[in-house]
Amino acid sequence: MSILIVSGIEGVRNCADAVAKLLSLKVEVAESRRTALDALRKRAFSAVVVDETLAECDPLAADAIWEHAGQAIPLQINFALSGAARIVREIRAALSRREREQAVAQLAAREEIGMELRQTVTGLLLQSQLALSQNGVPLVVADKLRMVADLAGTLRQQLSTLSQAEKLAATSANR
């Protein structure tokens, strides 16, 4: 993970060094919009911190930086008023929020996929059992349908066990 600080104020490199040391992250400094955009094109950052004075004096530059920031957390901080400790707190809080949001999104995606899989498996199980209940189903086809029903039943059981394990893990993680 790395952070891009965009500021033209004097002493920003000292601040960046302090932030890097306190967060144990690589910090890159861009003193202009052009260097910031070049850095954003070259690689991805966890956070992009733009000096508030730059954003206010050149809103188009700030907008261009935000557009090219990708998945980086955008932060706007007044470097003239904020010390390294406050900047570190802001970055740490933003990174922590991002982690929580990602965890919630991953859990929601897993639950959605699990629900869709369970619905599909239920459909397979139901349709194969309905087909087996029909009169005149050839023996070879009936054997294949039983195999599909057994596989669908096994998959349903595995999905149920996995879902219970995830719920248990989520409950213990919240404690």
Side-chain angles (χ1 to χ4, degrees):
M1 291 196 325
S2 59
I3 297 167
L4 177 64
I5 293 179
V6 185
S7 176
I9 69 166
E10 193 175 316
V12 72
R13 292 206 184 272
N14 293 336
C15 179
D17 291 342
V19 169
K21 184 178 179 184
L22 292 169
L23 289 176
S24 300
L25 296 173
K26 184 176 180 183
V27 178
E28 191 171 321
V29 175
E31 294 179 357
S32 68
R33 172 180 65 165
R34 180 180 303 257
T35 55
L37 293 175
D38 286 344
L40 290 167
R41 282 188 200 100
K42 289 178 185 172
R43 63 177 221 223
F45 291 90
S46 301
V48 176
V49 183
V50 175
D51 190 349
E52 192 172 273
T53 55
L54 177 99
E56 288 177 5
C57 293
D58 191 356
L60 293 176
D63 287 344
I65 292 168
W66 299 142
E67 276 183 37
H68 290 86
Q71 294 294 314
I73 300 167
L75 292 168
Q76 188 171 307
I77 297 175
N78 189 330
F79 282 81
L81 299 177
S82 302
R86 179 171 180 199
I87 293 168
V88 166
R89 281 194 309 273
E90 295 284 338
I91 294 171
R92 188 176 284 140
L95 292 173
S96 180
R97 274 192 311 273
R98 168 66 58 87
E99 282 182 27
R100 286 191 306 272
E101 290 168 359
Q102 285 177 335
V104 167
Q106 288 174 348
L107 181 61
R110 276 197 306 270
E111 287 177 359
E112 180 70 24
I113 290 170
M115 184 176 68
E116 288 177 15
L117 282 173
R118 285 189 292 279
Q119 288 174 347
T120 300
V121 167
T122 299
L124 278 171
L125 197 54
L126 179 64
Q127 292 302 320
S128 59
Q129 289 172 343
L130 285 173
L132 280 169
S133 70
Q134 299 297 311
N135 290 330
V137 175
L139 204 52
V140 174
V141 173
D143 286 341
K144 299 290 183 187
L145 286 171
R146 274 190 213 84
M147 191 182 306
V148 168
D150 289 345
L151 289 170
T154 301
L155 186 55
R156 174 193 250 179
Q157 191 173 14
Q158 289 171 339
L159 287 170
S160 176
T161 302
L162 183 62
S163 176
Q164 290 171 356
E166 284 180 345
K167 287 178 184 175
L168 183 62
T171 302
S172 57
N174 288 335
R175 290 182 185 175

